[in-house]
Amino acid sequence: MAKVRVSTLAKEFGMTSKELMGHLAEMKIPAKSASSALEDAYVAMVRKQLASVIEARAKEVEAAKQAEEEAAAAEEAARAAEAERERIAAEKAREEERRQFAAAQAAEEAARAEAEAKKKAEQERLAREKEEAAREAQRRAVPASDSGSRFRSLLDQIAAQETVLKEKKDAEAKAKAERASERGNRRGGNNDRRGSRRNDRNASESRPHSHRTNASNNVAAGMDFPNPDKQGKGKKRKGGHGNDEDHYSRMAREAEEYSREKVLEEARAAVEEASRESTGRRKKRKEKREREAAKAQEERKIEEALAQGVNPEELDAIKVSQGVTVQELAEALDVPANDIIKRLFLLGTPLTMTQSMSDDLVELVADDLGRQIKIITPEEENTFSFYDDPADLKPRAPVVTVMGHVDHGKTSLLDAIRHTGVAAGEAGGITQAIGASQVMINDRKITFIDTPGHATFTAMRARGAKVTDIVILIVAADDGVMPQTIESINHAKAAGVPIVVAVNKIDKPGANPDRVRQELTEYGIIPEEWGGQNMFVNISAKQKIGIDDLLETVLLQADVLELKANPDTFASGNVLEAKLDKGRGSVATVLVTRGTLHVGDTLVAGLTYGRVRAMLDPKGNAVTEAGPSDAVEILGLQSVPNAGDEFRVFEDEREARALADERSLKARIEEQSRVKHVTLENLFETIADAEVKELNLIIKADVQGSIEALQDSLDKMDQSEVRINTIHSAVGAINETDVVLADASNAIIIGFGVRPDGKARSAAEREGVEIRCYDVIYKCLEELDAARIGMLKPTEVEVSTGTATVLDTFKVPKVGIAAGVRVEEGEIAATDSVRLVRDGIVVFNGKIASMRHYKDEAKSLKSGSEGGIGLENFQDIKPGDQIEGYRIDQVARTE
């Protein structure tokens, strides 16, 4: 009989190994440790002696389990009561929020009216001030020519008058000096007096005409001054004539100077005031021109964004790929690479020129340099960004996807919706051929996508395809929430799509729609009547009950979303499905999300391009155009695109071809550099160079107990050098979602009592994911343990192959000095490593450059044979040296 370990027996009895060792010591049964093995007789004795203890322990476990179940029931009741209280509190909170919102709206309206009144009063005040300023400026204005010419004229006049005044002063000083000289010579005789009078008359006549004019004006003003011309002819007192003339001239000069200075001061003040007004007007005109230029630049920016189909904010952003290197980032930002390396060093992350940078580092460096940057992910590289003017957007039909568990009525619901629309004369034909259908309800169109289950839905979303606006989650009223129902909820939430729940099969016995609502609350799907955000509709797809209510609910949800698109631009959208038809070539079903698609348009879809040769609508009729939310079948692509690929129409066919070729080249390069997925056979080769070795597993089983047993056995394996990670485990068949997860995480799928479905098998073959199915748990553990041991680093062992003695040396062309040897023992191969030993000292350790048996090339030299051996990069060989051959073998570890 097989022996049983003490630890295994203790686990069977439900006690610790230490407790069992104590009982064994009491029964005088020899056992050194928990790993000791007991004979079958000892095992029978232990079972008999400890029967009462085991029974008591079982009763304790049963009592504990019952207490745990009672506690769980009490906790569930408390949770239900708490949920009810939270619902009531939430309802009160919403009522209070509505009341506060109404009050806030009223306050906002009052504030808006008050602000408008203040704004109107401010505008009136500003208008009055502007009008008064205009009148004041008009009153102060100097009546002259406009602007700069007027100012320049006034300044020139002032300067000219100052020059004339200076010349006049110089002339008066000169005349005064001449008169003084004349008075000194007057006593010389009549001739001298006549000459003096002539000189005086000439001097008087040489005075500026303005002086006489001003003097005459002063006389006219009432000043009784004698006439200097008449006084020159009569007889006066000695020296009287010169003194009177000087007095009159001085008075005239003072009057003229006073009048001139006053005029000049007034002119200067007027010029200064006019200059201030002109400067203010110029500043305002400059600011106005700057505002107009900024507005024109913004309009040009928006026009450029519309032409390129992008957001205006992204025009100035520098685009770089995810994982950009330091050198590539420096070229994109047009800065020296040393500046980026310096900043990375200061951030504590020194990198070289060719090392990749994380997204956070790229954003930090760009922000420090004051540059706006946008990081493009691999998914975004094959997508297009668009920008539409809000004025160009028009309402469009909603796009709906039906999701749910198997056999809950998805296909029946779609058939009922189509036939309901046809019977009412409001819909087109059945569109199963192209994977999409359209119905009309209340003169409004709804587009249904037929084919995507949740796996395809996720695959399309992974490619950036956000084609679905609303998800109808169908749940059977007699079955409730099932695993695929939960998966559908998670996928819809991840995509950010609103969910409308259709509770199907309400006509069947045992249907309980309220139970479905209660179960869905655990996953965040709460009905509106319970205070949530999700709309629920009770339907029967077979009996066609509630179909119209469901469609109206979908339209109501679409109204809330306010779905709009720009139909007057180049078309873009997503590929729903594609195939290769023998007679028609590449056929793709596309959904237009923006613009209008026409026959003859050139488009790029994923890695392919082509010209639309023909289009078929859901009825199968040929059409010439398709607008937003329309699903059509197109012909003319060069190859078959993938589901979820985004397409866009290009005006230039050469541009479309160049983009498709560039994407194809990049895809081929990625495929060549793609890492092969791990399998149990290549596990050692795949992770041999890794310092931390891991084996990722996805476990699917028929029952939860099998998963727990397998997981427990895996946890007991040695995890010191090879760590076994179970990244996902669930009950059910192996599906396509498991393959997608294994592909992303480089894992192996283990199936225990289950098999993969057709789609999962095809996906696994396509992606290179290994699926292992077992029916016996020990077989699974043996293979996993063998793979784990194979991942352990092998030990290296040196194996001696033979020994040879150097008999003589000779010179070989192109080789150098070779040794003539005789093999003493073993067999030396040309691929072996060798040591050259001289007097017990190793003088060379390396490879064999050449080996000959007489004149022929030899692969090996056996014991007793002679030949020639040339050593690699070594010439110092002497007779009597020993050549030892050896090889390094790697021996796999057993544990």
Side-chain angles (χ1 to χ4, degrees), residues 794-801 835 886-892:
T795 58
E796 294 184 349
V797 179
E798 180 181 311
V799 180
S800 178
T801 59
R835 296 187 185 94
Y886 67 93
R887 69 174 184 270
I888 302 297
D889 289 346
Q890 292 185 344
V891 180

Side-chain angles (χ1 to χ4, degrees), residues 30-74:
K32 294 181 179 180
S33 63
S35 59
S36 300
L38 301 179
E39 298 292 342
D40 186 57
Y42 286 139
V43 173
M45 184 187 299
V46 171
R47 293 183 189 277
K48 184 176 180 181
Q49 292 291 337
L50 298 181
S52 59
V53 177
I54 296 171
E55 185 177 357
R57 183 64 58 86
K59 290 182 180 179
E60 291 178 1
V61 172
E62 185 65 25
K65 184 176 180 181
Q66 185 176 1
E68 185 179 354
E69 291 178 353
E70 292 176 356

Side-chain angles (χ1 to χ4, degrees), residues 183 204 266 271 337 435 517 539 546 562 591 666 689 692 740 742:
R183 284 194 299 268
S204 176
E266 292 179 355
V271 169
R517 287 171 167 79
I539 67 169
E562 296 182 353
L591 178 70
K666 187 179 296 184
D689 296 332
V692 179
V740 173

Side-chain angles (χ1 to χ4, degrees), residues 282-297:
R282 285 198 299 270
K283 183 177 180 182
K284 291 179 181 178
R285 287 196 297 268
K286 182 179 180 181
E287 293 175 352
K288 183 179 179 181
R289 287 195 300 269
E290 291 177 352
R291 288 194 301 269
E292 292 176 351
K295 184 177 180 182
Q297 183 178 3

Side-chain angles (χ1 to χ4, degrees), residues 709-723:
L710 185 57
Q711 185 64 53
D712 184 60
S713 300
L714 293 175
D715 293 339
K716 290 180 180 178
M717 288 185 179
D718 185 12
Q719 305 278 331
S720 59
E721 294 187 61
V722 178
R723 186 164 58 248

Side-chain angles (χ1 to χ4, degrees), residues 747-768:
I748 298 173
I749 301 176
I750 301 297
F752 188 77
V754 295
R755 304 290 298 176
D757 56 23
K759 290 184 178 180
R761 190 179 295 107
S762 301
E765 293 176 357
R766 182 175 63 253
E767 302 295 341

Side-chain angles (χ1 to χ4, degrees), residues 122-421:
E122 182 67 17
Q123 290 176 349
E124 292 177 355
R125 185 183 65 79
L126 291 175
R128 287 195 301 271
E129 290 180 357
K130 187 175 180 180
E131 186 176 353
E132 291 175 359
R135 287 199 299 268
E136 182 67 18
Q138 184 177 4
R139 183 179 63 81
R140 293 182 178 183
V142 178
S145 59
D146 187 27
S147 184
S149 61
R150 181 184 65 190
F151 301 150
R152 287 192 298 272
S153 176
L154 286 173
L155 293 175
D156 293 342
Q157 292 178 18
I158 292 171
Q161 291 298 330
E162 289 177 349
T163 303
V164 171
L165 186 60
K166 184 177 179 181
E167 292 177 353
K168 184 197 68 175
K169 288 180 179 180
D170 294 341
E172 288 180 351
K174 184 177 181 182
K176 185 175 181 181
E178 290 177 354
R179 285 195 299 272
S181 177
E182 182 183 355
R183 284 194 299 268
N185 297 327
R186 188 175 297 171
R187 297 173 183 176
N190 294 331
N191 293 331
D192 294 334
R193 285 194 294 269
R194 289 194 208 94
S196 177
R197 284 196 295 269
R198 284 196 299 269
N199 291 334
D200 289 341
R201 188 163 55 250
N202 293 333
S204 176
E205 291 176 355
S206 65
R207 296 191 187 100
H209 179 70
S210 59
H211 290 184
R212 294 194 301 269
T213 305
N214 289 333
S216 61
N217 291 337
N218 292 333
V219 171
M223 299 175 66
D224 189 13
F225 296 146
N227 192 335
D229 293 335
K230 292 181 180 181
Q231 285 184 350
K233 295 180 181 180
K235 294 181 179 180
K236 294 291 180 183
R237 292 187 307 268
K238 184 179 180 180
H241 175 77
N243 293 334
D244 292 340
E245 188 174 11
D246 292 340
H247 177 70
Y248 297 152
S249 300
R250 185 177 65 255
M251 293 181 66
R253 185 178 66 255
E254 290 176 355
E256 182 180 4
E257 289 176 355
Y258 173 78
S259 177
R260 185 180 297 278
E261 290 296 333
K262 184 176 181 181
V263 171
L264 290 176
E265 287 180 2
E266 292 179 355
R268 290 193 188 98
V271 169
E272 184 177 359
E273 179 67 22
S275 299
R276 283 198 299 269
E277 293 179 359
S278 177
T279 303
R281 288 194 297 270
R282 285 198 299 270
K283 183 177 180 182
K284 291 179 181 178
R285 287 196 297 268
K286 182 179 180 181
E287 293 175 352
K288 183 179 179 181
R289 287 195 300 269
E290 291 177 352
R291 288 194 301 269
E292 292 176 351
K295 184 177 180 182
Q297 183 178 3
E298 186 68 22
E299 291 177 354
R300 286 194 299 271
K301 184 176 179 181
I302 294 176
E303 291 177 359
E304 184 179 357
L306 289 174
Q308 298 182 10
V310 298
N311 195 316
E313 298 178 356
E314 298 180 0
L315 277 180
D316 300 331
I318 300 172
K319 298 179 181 179
V320 297
S321 300
Q322 200 172 37
V324 65
T325 63
V326 175
Q327 185 175 3
E328 292 171 347
L329 181 62
E331 293 174 356
L333 297 177
D334 195 17
V335 297
N338 289 335
D339 291 352
I340 297 178
I341 293 176
K342 185 192 304 181
R343 285 170 171 80
L344 292 175
F345 183 80
L346 295 175
L347 290 172
T349 312
L351 297 177
T352 61
M353 296 277 287
T354 58
Q355 285 183 291
S356 298
M357 299 174 61
S358 64
D359 295 349
D360 295 336
L361 282 178
V362 173
E363 291 176 354
L364 285 173
V365 171
D367 184 63
D368 189 51
L369 291 171
R371 308 293 290 275
Q372 186 179 359
I373 201 162
K374 179 176 176 59
I375 300 174
I376 306 297
T377 62
E379 292 79 11
E380 291 176 339
E381 288 184 355
N382 289 344
T383 60
F384 304 97
S385 57
F386 304 102
Y387 173 77
D388 291 314
D389 192 342
D392 297 333
L393 300 180
K394 297 179 182 178
R396 65 173 178 85
V399 181
V400 182
T401 298
V402 180
M403 301 173 66
H405 192 69
V406 177
D407 199 30
H408 275 200
K410 296 190 294 293
T411 305
S412 300
L413 174 60
L414 288 170
D415 290 340
I417 289 174
R418 293 193 197 99
H419 286 87
T420 299

